């Protein structure tokens, strides 16, 4: 029992450190892995297996593919083509924007989609006389909903797929999760289009003052402070922002409220949003900073020529179609010795993009989110540790007992799915989605093994629940980004996101067992 209690302590420590944001998530998960290594729960080989997992490498390569598509400029053209050129209503505009945004996010990393689209939508809303606050939270949520529809839509799906393959089972195909994801996406988008604007604020405090600075030709950049910002706890008179970063602080918003009065003497806090007066080089220099998130966008290079722009789109389509067709039984039957899966096609696409310089090959490491990759690699080891120690089996027994008490035999499977969904979703709202999947996966596997049923419905449930981070701004990085741009309060996410969480929960619990019967 020592191993069970020790792993429980490691997980509690990890969750506390992630919620408190003591270090970057990758280092926190790596600390948890080292703690298990020191206790003999994990071997050195098991600690390192995640770094060679196909799912983790696929995520890394997709960062480079997303960078190539971003640099093509096609995303800007898409959003500008969708935005109405004259006055319209919030409902009509969202009906045009959100389905396309969700479709793009099914195949591209969510963060660059939001970082590119949010400032454009904000400026457009001002020109047509609509409050931009009606569009930015739905923008973030649409990218999350789109990510649920494909294997590559979010790193969480690839993490769970990698964990599935580690157990010796067949992984998910490109659109397998889309069987439930598309249903969730359609219902979720309908909610956002027709109802969310009633729950969102009309205007952000301090917007008029910001507009005056833009009219004067001053370059403004918004940043969201993180826990590693060196000036936390000190005011701007004590911490010289210009000396550190070459930018002047124009205003500060906290929890969506513009600080008034003698705000330069107010201590800076985590998640404060600063409006900076700076130059064009600021974003290029600090866009990968660990001290803050930049909630605006700038390119570090000239736009691609038309030939390369079209090549980038062709390669993206080649990757998507190739991975989809390559998983068909017909292809596997006629080419048995070769696996034409997503890993194969993303490798080919990345190499071609590098050699054709669709992204800068000399700076490729700059486009990788290393902390996300370390987090994913460590997630595999943590899941293994939960299994090795017996911790997963103990919790699985508790889940089965709760399900039996709630639903008895007839509704037991639904109750178990509900419990797994709630556990995963709670963790993903408080910590990272990949860490939530790492904790929930061995529990799902243990439940399925004890019941002697197919674990796939439980795995799909984890994928959906780990991505459904709607109720807090810290649950998903895109939520935090639009909070800075839109000036949203925490309660705005609860009012709009909690009903969406309930919608996703109900659809998942009742539809997943129909598509993937628990048998």
């Amino acid at each position: 029992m020592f191993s069970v209690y020790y792993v429980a302590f490691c997980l509690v420590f990890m969750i506390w450190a992630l919620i408190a944001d003591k270090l970057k998530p990758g280092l926190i998960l790596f600390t948890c892995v080292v703690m298990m290594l020191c206790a003999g729960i994990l071997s050195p080989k098991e600690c390192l297996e995640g770094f060679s997992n196909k799912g983790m490498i696929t995520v890394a390569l997709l960062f480079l593919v997303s960078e190539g598509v971003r640099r093509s400029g096609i995303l800007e053209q898409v959003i500008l083509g969708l935005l109405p050129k004259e006055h319209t209503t919030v409902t009509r505009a969202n009906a045009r924007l959100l389905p396309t945004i969700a479709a793009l996010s099914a195949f591209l990393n969510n963060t660059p989609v939001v970082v590119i689209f949010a400032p454009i939508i904000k400026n457009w809303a001002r020109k047509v006389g609509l409050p931009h606050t009606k569009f930015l939270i739905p923008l973030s949520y649409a990218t999350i909903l789109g990510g649920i529809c494909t294997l590559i839509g979010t790193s969480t799906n690839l993490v769970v797929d990698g964990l599935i393959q580690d157990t010796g089972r067949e992984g998910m195909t490109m659109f397998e999760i889309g069987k439930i994801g598309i249903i969730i996406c359609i219902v979720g988008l309908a909610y956002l289009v027709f109802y969310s604007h009633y729950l969102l604020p009309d205007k952000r405090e301090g917007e008029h003052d910001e507009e005056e600075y833009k009219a004067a030709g001053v370059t403004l950049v918004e940043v969201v402070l993180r826990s590693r910002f060196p000036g936390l706890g000190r005011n701007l008179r004590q911490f010289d922002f210009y000396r550190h970063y070459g930018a002047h602080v124009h205003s500060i918003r906290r929890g969506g409220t513009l600080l008034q009065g003698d705000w330069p003497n107010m201590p800076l806090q985590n998640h404060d949003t600063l409006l900076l007066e700076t130059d064009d080089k600021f974003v290029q220099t600090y866009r990968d900073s660990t001290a803050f998130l930049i909630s605006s966008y700038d390119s570090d290079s000239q736009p691609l020529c038309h030939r390369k722009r079209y090549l980038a789109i062709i390669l993206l389509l080649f990757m998507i179609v190739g991975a989809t067709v390559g998983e068909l039984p017909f292809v596997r039957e006629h080419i048995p010795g070769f696996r034409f899966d997503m890993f194969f096609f993303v490798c080919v696409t990345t190499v071609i993009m590098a050699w054709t310089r669709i992204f800068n090959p000399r700076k490729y490491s700059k486009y990788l989110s290393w902390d996300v990759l370390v987090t994913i690699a460590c997630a595999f080891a943590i899941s293994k540790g939960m299994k090795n120690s017996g911790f997963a089996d103990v919790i699985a027994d508790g889940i089965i007992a709760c399900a039996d008490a709630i639903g008895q035999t007839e509704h037991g499977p639904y109750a178990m799915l509900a419990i797994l969904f709630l556990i995963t979703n709670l963790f993903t709202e408080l910590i990272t989605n990949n860490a939530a999947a790492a904790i929930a996966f061995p529990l799902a596997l243990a439940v399925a093994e004890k019941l002697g049923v197919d674990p796939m419905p439980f795995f799909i449930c984890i994928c959906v629940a780990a991505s459904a981070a709607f109720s807090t701004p810290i649950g998903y990085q895109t939520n935090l980004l639009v909070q800075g741009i839109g000036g949203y309060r925490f309660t705005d996410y609860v009012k709009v996101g909690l009903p969406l969480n309930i919608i996703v929960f109900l659809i998942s619990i009742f539809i997943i067992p129909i598509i993937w019967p628990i048998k």
Side-chain angles (χ1 to χ4, degrees), residues 86-103:
E86 55 190 26
H87 184 71
T88 184
T89 65
V90 172
T91 299
R92 289 178 182 174
N94 272 330
R96 293 183 64 173
L97 290 171
L98 299 186
T100 303
I101 290 167

Side-chain angles (χ1 to χ4, degrees), residues 75-90 92-98 100-101 116-128 130 132 135-136 139:
L75 294 180
E76 289 89 340
Q77 292 183 6
V78 168
I79 193 66
L80 291 173
L82 289 172
L83 292 170
K85 301 300 185 293
E86 55 190 26
H87 184 71
T88 184
T89 65
V90 172
R92 289 178 182 174
N94 272 330
R96 293 183 64 173
L97 290 171
L98 299 186
T100 303
I101 290 167
I116 290 172
F117 285 5
I120 296 175
I121 291 174
K122 178 179 175 180
N123 293 332
W124 165 83
R126 184 182 295 114
K127 291 178 182 177
V128 297
L130 294 174
H132 63 265
F135 299 98
L136 299 183
L139 164 65

Side-chain angles (χ1 to χ4, degrees), residues 210-242:
E210 178 183 329
E211 175 68 15
E212 290 177 352
Y213 267 73
K214 289 191 174 183
V218 176
T219 299
L220 297 179
V221 175
E222 289 178 306
V223 301
V224 182
L225 301 186
R226 307 177 75 176
S227 62
R228 284 162 294 282
F229 179 70
L232 292 183
R234 293 189 283 173
N235 60 47
L236 292 173
R237 302 192 191 283
Q238 298 168 331
F239 182 83
D240 189 339
F241 199 96
Y242 182 80

